[in-house]
Amino acid sequence: MEIPVIRSSQLNLGRAIDVGFCNFSKNLNSKIFSVKNNSKTCKIFQGQSLKWESKSATRFTLKASATAQSEAAVISEKGSRNSRTKPTDGVKLYVGLPLDAVSTCNTVNHARAISAGLKALKLLGIDGVELPVWWGIAEKDKSGKYDWTGYLVLAEMVQKLGLKLHVSLCFHASKDAKILLPDWVSRIGESQPDVYFTDRSGQRYKDCLSLAVDDLPVLDGKTPIEAYAEFCESFKASFSPFIGSTITGISIGLGPDGELRYPSHHYRSKNNSHRGAGEFQCYNKYMLENLKQHAETHGNPLWGLSGPHDAPGYSQSPMSSGFFLEHGGSWEMPYGDFFLSWYSSQLISHGDRILSVAASTFEDTEIIVSGKVPLMHSWYKTRSHPSELTAGFYNTANRDGYEAIAEIFSRNSCKIILPGMDLSEENEPNESRSRPELLLAQIASACGKHEVQISGENSLVSVSPRGYEQIKKNLVDQNVVDLFTYQRMGAYFFSPEHFPSYTKFVRSLNQANLHSDDLVTEEEGTAVSLPGTNLRMQAA
Amino acid sequence: MSIAVIRPLFRQPHRLGGGHRPAYLNSSMARSFYLNYAYSPRPIFNDACSLSSHHFKPAKALSLRTSSIDTAVVETSESSDFVFSETFQLKRPQKVEGKITIRLESGNSDDNWRLTVGCCLPGKWILHWGVNYIGDVGSEWDQPPPDMRPPGSIPIKDYAIETPLEKSLASSEGESIYEVNIDFNTNSSIAAINFVLKDEETGSWYQHRGRDFKVPLIDYLQDDGNIVGAKKGLGTWPGPLGQISNMLLKPEAANSKEDIGELSVQKRGLQGFYEEQAVVKEILVDNLVSVSVRHCLETAKNLLYIETDLPGDVIVHWGICKDDGKTWEIPSEPYPPETSMFKDKALRTLLQRKNGGHGSLGSFILDEGSVAFVFVLKLNENTWLNCHGNDFCIPLSSFSVPPIHSGQPHSEDEEQNNESGSLLISGNASEANQEVSAYTDEIIDEIRNLVTDISSEKNRKTKSKKAQESILQEIEKLAAEAYSIFRSSIPTFTETDLLEEEALEPPVKISSGTGSGFEILCQGFNWESHKSGKWYIDLREKASKLASLGFTVLWLPPPTDSVSSEGYMPRDLYNLNSRLTNVKMHPLTFQGRGNKSSGDNFHAAPNIDHSQEFVRKDIKEWLHWLREEIGYDGWRLDFVRGFWGGYVKDYIEATEPYFAVGEYWDSLSYTYGEMDHNQDAHRQRIIDWINATNGTAGAFDVTTKGILHSALERCEYWRLSDEKGKPPGVVGWWPSRAVTFIENHDTGSTQGHWRFPGGKEIQGYAYILTHPGTPSVFYDHIFSEYQSEISTLISIRNRNKIQCRSTVQIMKAERDVYAAMTDEKVVMKIGPGHYEPSNGSRNWSLVAEGRDYKIWETS
């Protein structure tokens, strides 16, 4: 261990700056790899990590103990493929680019604003940006005809500034950003509406394809999974100059809004009042066929005729009808278990399919693949967790539904992107029985068990001071969070109402971890320190 | 809150106004005096705690060049042992407290009263005010009756008046008082006078407890807390992040919230009063520091003297450089008295007060072998002074006097200034942006350098700290820039008065705002034009071509940057392009101090104080001279916001140009990254400006350009129709004053600040050349592969006598196609979608067609 090198990194320059330190972590990685390859056990490796931890503790006594904890977590995580990164950097900070950064005509929107914004972020010490890449833009006109021009321009802008890029491959449509599915997909959807998720009343959710058609050749002879895989391949080929250097991460779209879930709420309520818990989305032709088959194999063909008859509607309170009742609800009955197991397993295998496609595509690169898991936190206080159940997470008072989720991410060596880092119970309306913090902790713990890394995101556009505190808390407490993406750049982000508080957040995040020698002395009178530059210190 | 520092000439010579000057020198030597007025150092947006520096560079051996234009003064030493001697000008931020006075008193009769609002701080004070009438319903301000408006008042939209404060005769003891008197008669039905005070110099608005000042003239009970009379605090708006808020301060819509309509009103016996409100403003105070170095042969040491007129305790935070000037080192002892070590990084020496109390001095004995003496000055915890973001770096080398005194580099700079005159002259927001980004790149490079430079640990802290400060400033500037592009802002729109005005307009044949109405402009230069040095000759050769293409107005580059070595002046061209209508446009750069509160003017321009009558008079004379003697027929007014349209009117009326056009750059409205469909706020601002010129000038229709960008680039042709089915730009509201364009030397050419979507230029021209307004075609486009298409479009315009007031009817505005009919004679469509005019009573025949556009005429 080259401790002296670390020593030299104590200067107040930090983050993305210390050449010596980078070398060190590379050395560390290579050592670990060699250890791993030779011995195939984790024992030696664990020993190293302990040694390291103790050293760091003695050397930097002023640091919060949380730092040491995260160090341990970080190192133990090396066993997975994720160890290609340098997790010793502490939490990386990213900011999302505007959803419509590239227009439907494949040109960069408000390039000047983005350019200025990127520079501001770079100077603020932000590590990178997240760029949504839309299926509906890059493969707009024709299956297999890709146009990456706008995105390449952006990638170059980002590269020039020395920022990192996390690309989100979006296979969904966005109403907010007025981005649709590819024209050719929408046309197919018009003639075969069963490619979409469908609720009990027959309404289609047209912002993404149903997971039931993943392996069906519905797209002019291609299956959606094949289409996604080809999209990834084309992306990889087109962006090869950036991959591993500028592009360090990819998120793969897993469903509505890119998240691994059913679109249990067709329209997200704007006013945040999650009155209802959503509806099950198992009513398109393919889902029903699958359910029927499953019920027959299960020996209960009658259970396969439809979805639960006693589930409440979108606007109804979950407790207004039988399925989710606290006591004696159908969910606790054998039928409920049958249905929910099937419903959630469909989602899990869908996630597994897409993650493995993405993981194998990018296997030979430096890129880490991530997928987004939603934080369905409303009604978490109830025993049945109705919001999670309709979204496809069989997580109740009796059952942990996230172990299985974490397991597929772990199996594919993928990271989880988890929103809601800014949410706390206080600002949730009481009647929604929401417990975002608890749910987040539960998912994080499942991830910890399966050695899955988490990238955090905020959920609310307007993060309150309390929200920032919550984010900070999560970044420190959830020691599996190694990256936080703030969503997202735009007029509001840079507005005088907002940007100063974000700046303050970034700075406070760093200053909390400053070595005493790096703190600006009062004598100097300069109340500023280079924000963002000290996160690396946290890990040092 | 700004500290300006010495601007080393060599760093950004052409941005400083140096390039501007030759223009005036050429036109009239005598005028240069006033114009030098414009060179007062530009304030740089700073927090008090920051060392102002736009251009952070770690302490590279900064060779100080001197120049007579700039602030540093060389004392050329006769004495041979003076190794170095130089005086630096410092700008020290100082908070000045003053007061706003409000006095209500009765005049010569009982019914005549006078309200006097004054301010004892220097500044360009403007009273922004309006009244409430008795019986008014709602809270809107109204404009006062004309007889109540003091001379020099300018109406702002339909609800307010802006009156500049004049220096009062009552000024005494060297303290000037600025004030304005409003006389009114109590028999008029005015219920209250509302106002806020604006400092045009800084863009700050001074309000009363965050609200308007309100002086009630009748009894009524509602007091929303802003009635003048109660003692309440006052200050500029606080901001969450000092500087950002300063830049982004948005003038609040000046509406008071009271509803006094329903009250039974009764004149009360008005009582005079006198009120004072404390007000704080940060100003810059000029100070000097002079440094001289003497080499003592006997002791082989250097003696360095520092002398300054800075008041109070001055600490010199210093060190020496031994090698490349990058690394601060601690010299060996002895140190001067009152010296302490600062963290092994630097020394701090408190300068001794001079006898008499004014200023301080100190002397330092330094060993030979040091290359330079580096220092910054520390006044207090929050105020540091440096040399343009760099440490002061005084060369000590006894054997080689740096070439800085030779004067050679200086003259190079001068040349550069001349060369880049055009750059400066049209210097506007977009140039500033360029500057910002170039500068940011530099900073980012610097960070990288800092990163890799881990050898000089000692120096790093100093460097990084300063880097941090300049970086923070930079972040804020960039954020503000990003915001100003992303954001939307919403002043109210008053369409009706415009329409009325248009209707009332007498049928003038030629007015400065419109020319003949049938003009087609050619912007006769691009960004590179100054480089050829023979632009006028080139242009002369092309003049006949331009005339044959159908252009009527040729907009020439400013004469000063086209003075070639052969000495061609515009005069030589004058007789040669008689096939054109002899109209030449001259860009004028009158950059007022932009309203920083709008957040989009990052680099305050050289300031001409237009509110000073003598300055205006001088400019008027100069313009007149250009017109009469040189033969320019029109003006193009480059300006930034903050330059009061009312002054433009003065200039234009004084010089009677054939045609005048202003360029008002502003950001369009965006909501969450998406350009708003409704750009009324944007065009309103341009129209407000035209309004303030009384319609004597047209304005470049930046709105239309912006909307065309989005429409063409993103295939959103629906944007080309506003909610009322009219064109969405200035051309939709005040076509006769709209100069439509798709590119000019700032946006296109090699500058490319805001370039029109590539490949879609002809669609843009198909739009502007078939629509009302006065179209302007960019030089680069005329002499490109587009020439024949542009020529066709111009001939269609001329053939059908489409003019600035033509009527346009939008036939279709959908996602992928836009179609419109002009004067019922021409139909055009742009966009990939399909459109064909229906052949009803008229017989349409296709006369032009190209990529994504078609044009038909009636046959």
Side-chain angles (χ1 to χ4, degrees):
Chain A
M1 291 287 161
E2 298 155 72
I3 299 302
V5 185
I6 305 174
R7 183 75 195 163
S8 79
S9 73
Q10 280 187 23
L11 289 148
N12 192 7
L13 287 164
R15 199 171 184 77
I17 282 177
D18 288 296
V19 173
F21 193 70
C22 295
N23 289 339
F24 165 70
S25 59
K26 266 186 201 142
N27 294 343
L28 182 65
N29 281 343
S30 60
K31 264 180 207 165
I32 287 160
F33 273 122
S34 61
V35 166
K36 186 176 143 197
N37 293 341
N38 294 340
S39 69
K40 287 198 175 183
T41 71
C42 272
K43 274 191 179 170
I44 300 169
F45 169 66
Q46 287 289 1
Q48 286 214 349
S49 97
L50 283 173
K51 190 172 151 198
W52 161 237
E53 188 183 335
S54 64
K55 280 205 179 186
S56 73
T58 51
R59 197 163 281 277
F60 309 114
T61 49
L62 282 167
K63 290 196 200 309
S65 60
T67 311
Q69 274 173 22
S70 76
E71 194 63 47
V74 156
I75 293 193
S76 66
E77 172 268 340
K78 296 274 182 203
S80 78
R81 209 165 60 117
N82 292 352
S83 57
R84 284 174 312 199
T85 50
K86 296 168 288 189
T88 40
D89 292 9
V91 178
K92 291 200 163 93
L93 293 180
Y94 279 56
V95 172
L97 289 172
L99 289 175
D100 64 344
V102 170
S103 72
T104 46
C105 298
N106 225 312
T107 51
V108 178
N109 271 336
H110 27 76
R112 264 179 58 214
I114 290 179
S115 161
L118 287 178
K119 284 171 185 163
L121 294 180
K122 172 70 185 173
L123 295 176
L124 193 56
I126 299 300
D127 296 272
V129 289
E130 181 260 355
L131 170 65
V133 169
W134 299 90
W135 195 20
I137 290 176
E139 197 182 349
K140 184 168 186 280
D141 299 325
K142 199 163 161 277
S143 173
K145 184 172 159 274
Y146 304 98
D147 182 354
W148 303 103
T149 38
Y151 295 112
L152 284 165
V153 170
L154 273 174
E156 208 177 315
M157 277 169 73
V158 172
Q159 184 181 46
K160 274 189 183 151
L161 284 168
L163 287 163
K164 299 295 179 197
L165 188 60
H166 181 101
V167 174
S168 301
L169 302 177
C170 302
F171 298 117
H172 60 276
S174 165
K175 289 213 167 57
D176 293 343
K178 299 200 180 77
I179 292 163
L180 308 170
L181 289 180
D183 297 346
W184 58 278
V185 175
S186 301
R187 275 197 298 275
I188 290 166
E190 274 165 38
S191 58
Q192 312 173 45
D194 277 311
V195 298
Y196 296 124
F197 284 108
T198 309
D199 65 17
R200 189 165 48 176
S201 61
Q203 284 182 61
R204 315 281 180 182
Y205 176 83
K206 296 187 175 175
D207 284 353
C208 70
L209 296 179
S210 164
L211 56 84
V213 299
D214 275 354
D215 286 324
L216 301 176
V218 290
L219 302 178
D220 298 334
K222 258 193 275 183
T223 69
I225 291 286
E226 283 163 358
Y228 301 152
E230 285 169 23
F231 188 86
C232 292
E233 284 292 349
S234 171
F235 173 85
K236 184 179 149 191
S238 309
F239 287 79
S240 55
F242 300 100
I243 285 175
S245 51
T246 297
I247 299 177
T248 52
I250 298 272
S251 310
I252 187 97
L254 297 173
D257 294 327
E259 297 175 336
L260 180 65
R261 63 175 169 89
Y262 290 91
S264 49
H265 290 274
H266 274 201
Y267 304 101
R268 285 201 154 172
S269 55
K270 291 278 180 210
N271 53 8
N272 215 16
S273 64
H274 302 282
R275 186 171 150 70
E279 291 188 14
F280 293 109
Q281 308 288 324
C282 56
Y283 295 88
N284 75 14
K285 189 173 82 187
Y286 304 109
M287 286 296 275
L288 288 174
E289 275 172 16
N290 189 312
L291 175 63
K292 187 157 171 276
Q293 259 178 20
H294 182 69
E296 280 162 7
T297 354
H298 197 266
N300 278 305
L302 289 179
W303 286 354
L305 299 180
S306 184
H309 68 281
D310 53 354
Y314 291 114
S315 57
Q316 287 173 300
S317 162
M319 301 305 153
S320 63
S321 54
F323 195 83
F324 298 117
L325 285 183
E326 282 291 83
H327 298 286
S330 312
W331 65 275
E332 272 187 301
M333 304 298 167
Y335 167 74
D337 181 56
F338 157 82
F339 176 79
L340 293 170
S341 303
W342 168 79
Y343 189 70
S344 63
S345 69
Q346 296 297 305
L347 183 70
I348 289 169
S349 31
H350 162 77
D352 192 22
R353 276 193 293 269
I354 296 190
L355 289 175
S356 74
V357 159
S360 62
T361 303
F362 294 103
E363 195 167 32
D364 53 347
T365 68
E366 295 286 303
I367 286 180
I368 294 178
V369 176
S370 314
K372 190 167 177 182
V373 172
L375 197 69
M376 305 303 296
H377 54 79
S378 59
W379 301 102
Y380 188 80
K381 269 187 212 171
T382 62
R383 291 184 63 240
S384 56
H385 298 205
S387 285
E388 292 162 79
L389 296 185
T390 55
F393 300 93
Y394 189 6
N395 187 54
T396 63
N398 311 329
R399 187 181 190 276
D400 188 331
Y402 293 99
E403 292 265 344
I405 301 289
E407 206 267 322
I408 58 164
F409 279 85
S410 170
R411 189 190 311 153
N412 294 295
S413 306
C414 293
K415 284 176 68 171
I416 283 184
I417 293 175
L418 197 56
M421 292 279 158
D422 52 333
L423 300 179
S424 58
E425 279 144 48
E426 285 163 35
N427 36 24
E428 293 298 324
N430 202 30
E431 64 271 23
S432 78
R433 312 273 192 100
S434 165
R435 297 299 291 273
E437 288 169 86
L438 281 185
L439 176 56
L440 202 139
Q442 191 195 348
I443 299 176
S445 121
C447 289
K449 249 183 242 176
H450 291 270
E451 295 176 353
V452 174
Q453 284 273 296
I454 294 179
S455 295
E457 282 185 7
N458 53 312
S459 284
L460 303 175
V461 178
S462 167
V463 175
S464 63
R466 177 77 188 80
Y468 284 119
E469 283 305 311
Q470 188 66 27
I471 295 171
K472 254 188 274 180
K473 185 164 165 282
N474 278 321
L475 296 188
V476 176
D477 291 354
Q478 308 298 345
N479 51 23
V480 279
V481 180
D482 68 342
L483 188 152
F484 178 75
T485 306
Y486 192 84
Q487 301 294 8
R488 90 187 21 261
M489 185 192 286
Y492 177 75
F493 180 82
F494 285 114
S495 69
E497 297 83 43
H498 174 270
F499 191 69
S501 58
Y502 179 70
T503 313
K504 200 176 144 207
F505 160 70
V506 173
R507 287 167 60 182
S508 69
L509 201 58
N510 299 319
Q511 251 157 6
N513 302 304
L514 278 184
H515 191 275
S516 65
D517 192 42
D518 297 323
L519 287 169
V520 179
T521 57
E522 261 185 82
E523 185 190 14
E524 298 266 330
T526 47
V528 290
S529 83
L530 185 56
T533 58
N534 300 304
L535 266 194
R536 184 185 295 264
M537 300 312 302
Q538 178 186 20
Chain B
M1 296 259 270
S2 45
I3 311 165
V5 289
I6 296 172
R7 296 168 283 134
L9 190 62
F10 61 91
R11 178 139 349 240
Q12 41 161 208
H14 54 270
R15 298 181 194 129
L16 297 177
H20 199 164
R21 198 173 64 140
Y24 301 100
L25 291 175
N26 282 329
S27 26
S28 158
M29 287 303 289
R31 292 179 172 91
S32 62
F33 164 70
Y34 298 116
L35 292 151
N36 269 332
Y37 191 89
Y39 302 138
S40 64
R42 307 174 302 164
I44 297 165
F45 304 101
N46 272 341
D47 259 7
C49 64
S50 51
L51 301 176
S52 93
S53 68
H54 265 241
H55 292 247
F56 170 75
K57 283 221 167 215
K60 278 191 188 135
L62 169 64
S63 46
L64 290 157
R65 290 184 197 164
T66 58
S67 100
S68 56
I69 316 182
D70 211 73
T71 46
V73 177
V74 194
E75 291 169 21
T76 321
S77 171
E78 300 300 320
S79 156
S80 61
D81 63 348
F82 261 114
V83 179
F84 182 90
S85 175
E86 189 149 337
T87 300
F88 304 91
Q89 195 166 338
L90 302 168
K91 291 280 176 190
R92 177 170 54 88
Q94 191 175 46
K95 278 201 177 122
V96 193
E97 286 183 25
K99 59 196 182 209
I100 292 174
T101 59
I102 304 146
R103 183 166 55 234
L104 187 67
E105 61 194 358
S106 65
N108 42 15
S109 79
D110 284 351
D111 292 340
N112 287 326
W113 285 70
R114 163 174 283 191
L115 176 70
T116 305
V117 178
C119 183
C120 67
L121 288 177
K124 208 161 92 190
W125 297 102
I126 303 277
L127 189 77
H128 181 94
W129 62 288
V131 299
N132 295 122
Y133 288 101
I134 292 168
D136 267 0
V137 179
S139 57
E140 300 285 322
W141 289 12
D142 278 313
Q143 276 171 349
D147 57 348
M148 198 170 151
R149 304 178 194 177
S153 298
I154 299 282
I156 300 299
K157 300 190 188 147
D158 64 341
Y159 61 79
I161 294 286
E162 287 199 345
T163 310
L165 272 63
E166 304 283 347
K167 207 175 239 184
S168 159
L169 298 171
S171 305
S172 61
E173 295 157 27
E175 187 185 71
S176 26
I177 294 171
Y178 298 84
E179 62 180 30
V180 61
N181 298 315
I182 299 168
D183 293 311
F184 61 94
N185 190 297
T186 47
N187 293 330
S188 64
S189 53
I190 291 167
I193 298 174
N194 306 299
F195 65 90
V196 292
L197 208 56
K198 184 166 94 176
D199 183 3
E200 290 241 300
E201 227 166 57
T202 61
S204 303
W205 295 69
Y206 294 86
Q207 298 188 319
H208 186 50
R209 300 192 72 223
R211 308 274 305 276
D212 313 322
F213 290 89
K214 192 175 193 82
V215 178
L217 306 181
I218 56 167
D219 274 328
Y220 66 95
L221 300 170
Q222 266 180 302
D223 181 350
D224 279 8
N226 61 338
I227 288 175
V228 180
K231 289 278 180 200
K232 278 147 191 165
L234 173 85
T236 36
W237 291 5
L241 191 63
Q243 175 174 343
I244 278 205
S245 65
N246 211 11
M247 294 166 66
L248 299 182
L249 269 185
K250 226 174 1 181
E252 194 174 74
N255 296 326
S256 70
K257 301 283 180 283
E258 287 83 84
D259 183 355
I260 56 172
E262 299 304 315
L263 293 164
S264 64
V265 288
Q266 202 178 8
K267 284 275 188 264
R268 73 174 163 186
L270 257 189
Q271 295 207 325
F273 67 85
Y274 175 76
E275 277 266 332
E276 289 184 358
Q277 297 278 359
V279 58
V280 176
K281 179 182 172 178
E282 187 127 339
I283 60 166
L284 292 176
V285 181
D286 287 323
N287 283 106
L288 300 171
V289 59
S290 37
V291 182
S292 59
V293 181
R294 224 179 260 270
H295 185 64
C296 178
L297 291 170
E298 294 147 33
T299 59
K301 285 184 190 282
N302 287 310
L303 290 173
L304 184 138
Y305 298 95
I306 294 181
E307 190 171 346
T308 177
D309 62 349
L310 287 166
D313 285 346
V314 179
I315 291 171
V316 182
H317 184 94
W318 62 284
I320 54 162
C321 294
K322 282 206 170 144
D323 38 27
D324 54 355
K326 275 193 175 174
T327 316
W328 280 45
E329 291 181 30
I330 308 289
S332 54
E333 297 195 52
Y335 304 136
E338 301 278 0
T339 297
S340 60
M341 181 85 75
F342 178 73
K343 290 192 169 183
D344 299 331
K345 309 279 193 298
L347 292 169
R348 287 185 162 178
T349 303
L350 178 68
L351 295 183
Q352 287 172 304
R353 297 288 187 94
K354 278 194 233 174
N355 293 335
H358 284 291
S360 325
L361 50 82
S363 61
F364 301 79
I365 299 168
L366 304 163
D367 286 334
E368 237 178 358
S370 309
V371 174
F373 176 85
V374 282
F375 71 98
V376 292
L377 296 173
K378 177 171 180 263
L379 300 186
N380 57 44
E381 295 311 329
N382 295 323
T383 313
W384 294 69
L385 299 175
N386 62 10
C387 181
H388 194 80
N390 290 306
D391 307 327
F392 290 96
C393 183
I394 309 299
L396 293 177
S397 167
S398 53
F399 36 86
S400 71
V401 177
I404 53 174
H405 297 295
S406 69
Q408 283 306 109
H410 180 169
S411 61
E412 275 169 31
D413 290 339
E414 283 279 333
E415 271 164 36
Q416 225 180 334
N417 288 345
N418 283 339
E419 289 244 329
S420 46
S422 164
L423 184 86
L424 176 90
I425 283 184
S426 43
N428 54 29
S430 48
E431 190 213 332
N433 291 341
Q434 171 85 357
E435 195 177 316
V436 166
S437 52
Y439 170 51
T440 309
D441 294 341
E442 196 179 322
I443 285 198
I444 289 172
D445 281 347
E446 289 305 336
I447 297 176
R448 292 207 186 103
N449 292 343
L450 283 171
V451 172
T452 47
D453 177 22
I454 52 168
S455 59
S456 57
E457 181 175 330
K458 195 185 285 179
N459 190 29
R460 268 174 85 187
K461 190 154 278 180
T462 324
K463 275 200 242 173
S464 67
K465 198 145 284 165
K466 275 199 296 182
Q468 288 167 22
E469 284 144 5
S470 76
I471 286 166
L472 278 181
Q473 289 168 22
E474 198 55 34
I475 290 169
E476 291 169 356
K477 262 182 285 181
L478 288 163
E481 181 187 357
Y483 173 64
S484 74
I485 305 171
F486 274 131
R487 81 177 157 156
S488 66
S489 56
I490 319 111
T492 47
F493 164 56
T494 50
E495 188 171 13
T496 41
D497 63 329
L498 278 176
L499 295 173
E500 280 163 21
E501 217 165 311
E502 186 74 314
L504 290 173
E505 202 174 11
V508 272
K509 280 276 182 283
I510 288 175
S511 84
S512 59
T514 59
S516 68
F518 290 86
E519 312 298 350
I520 300 177
L521 256 74
C522 162
Q523 179 178 345
F525 69 103
N526 63 13
W527 205 255
E528 307 301 315
S529 58
H530 66 278
K531 286 193 181 159
S532 88
K534 290 193 286 187
W535 189 253
Y536 282 91
I537 306 173
D538 295 348
L539 211 54
R540 183 177 64 196
E541 283 160 15
K542 285 174 176 153
S544 57
K545 176 73 184 172
L546 291 172
S548 72
L549 285 173
F551 288 100
T552 62
V553 176
L554 177 60
W555 165 13
L556 296 178
T560 47
D561 59 2
S562 56
V563 177
S564 67
S565 47
E566 291 88 352
Y568 280 97
M569 282 291 287
R571 183 188 293 276
D572 297 307
L573 182 62
Y574 177 65
N575 292 320
L576 295 168
N577 64 347
S578 51
R579 288 197 59 197
L580 296 173
T581 49
N582 279 337
V583 173
K584 287 167 263 174
M585 303 289 288
H586 183 88
L588 300 174
T589 306
F590 293 140
Q591 298 196 318
R593 297 206 180 197
N595 186 346
K596 283 160 210 139
S597 63
S598 65
D600 34 26
N601 179 24
F602 302 105
H603 293 260
N607 184 24
I608 299 174
D609 187 351
H610 297 271
S611 65
Q612 299 293 333
E613 176 58 28
F614 73 90
V615 175
R616 268 183 285 170
K617 185 159 164 279
D618 190 70
I619 291 171
K620 276 188 269 187
E621 271 174 32
W622 176 63
L623 291 179
H624 200 71
W625 178 81
L626 274 178
R627 174 154 165 71
E628 294 304 313
E629 301 296 322
I630 302 295
Y632 275 79
D633 290 323
W635 316 126
R636 164 179 169 263
L637 304 149
D638 264 359
F639 61 90
V640 294
R641 279 143 290 175
F643 176 22
W644 207 1
Y647 296 133
V648 176
K649 180 182 147 227
D650 277 3
Y651 301 140
I652 288 169
E653 282 174 357
T655 53
E656 301 174 338
Y658 178 76
F659 186 58
V661 54
E663 189 172 352
Y664 190 97
W665 285 98
D666 202 348
S667 170
L668 278 78
S669 307
Y670 287 82
T671 304
Y672 286 101
E674 166 115 34
M675 178 189 271
D676 293 344
H677 180 204
N678 183 327
Q679 294 293 345
D680 289 353
H682 186 266
R683 53 175 162 173
Q684 179 67 48
R685 288 192 289 272
I686 295 176
I687 278 173
D688 286 347
W689 185 87
I690 305 172
N691 236 342
T693 71
N694 253 1
T696 54
F700 281 98
D701 191 345
V702 184
T703 321
T704 291
K705 173 172 163 66
I707 293 169
L708 281 170
H709 273 245
S710 270
L712 271 50
E713 197 166 52
R714 299 162 51 123
C715 199
E716 295 176 336
Y717 289 85
W718 48 267
R719 291 183 181 276
L720 292 171
S721 171
D722 71 10
E723 279 139 0
K724 302 199 172 169
K726 289 169 145 195
V730 176
V731 72
W733 279 354
W734 203 348
S736 62
R737 297 298 184 276
V739 177
T740 49
F741 74 115
I742 69 166
E743 207 83 291
N744 67 18
H745 63 282
D746 288 318
T747 64
S749 201
T750 52
Q751 288 297 299
H753 288 314
W754 192 34
R755 194 186 288 279
F756 202 76
K760 316 223 161 157
E761 289 88 352
I762 289 298
Q763 283 189 62
Y765 283 123
Y767 181 90
I768 67 170
L769 286 166
T770 55
H771 278 59
T774 302
S776 170
V777 182
F778 184 44
Y779 182 88
D780 284 9
H781 293 153
I782 299 166
F783 294 99
S784 73
E785 74 269 29
Y786 299 136
Q787 190 180 84
S788 70
E789 282 178 283
I790 290 175
S791 157
T792 308
L793 292 169
I794 291 175
S795 60
I796 291 170
R797 185 177 184 90
N798 286 335
R799 192 160 66 219
N800 290 283
K801 301 198 165 50
I802 296 175
Q803 47 126 332
C804 68
R805 295 184 182 81
S806 287
T807 57
V808 63
Q809 188 189 345
I810 294 173
M811 314 300 283
K812 201 170 186 180
E814 291 176 6
R815 186 184 67 85
D816 58 357
V817 65
Y818 167 86
M821 177 168 68
T822 307
D823 284 347
E824 308 198 323
K825 286 187 272 189
V826 172
V827 169
M828 59 80 75
K829 81 110 194 178
I830 51 175
H834 173 80
Y835 177 80
E836 284 284 335
S838 55
N839 272 324
S841 53
R842 291 183 211 88
N843 202 13
W844 296 106
S845 57
L846 188 66
V847 289
E849 176 176 19
R851 191 176 158 196
D852 288 343
Y853 77 90
K854 283 183 180 173
I855 296 180
W856 298 265
E857 282 177 5
T858 45
S859 47

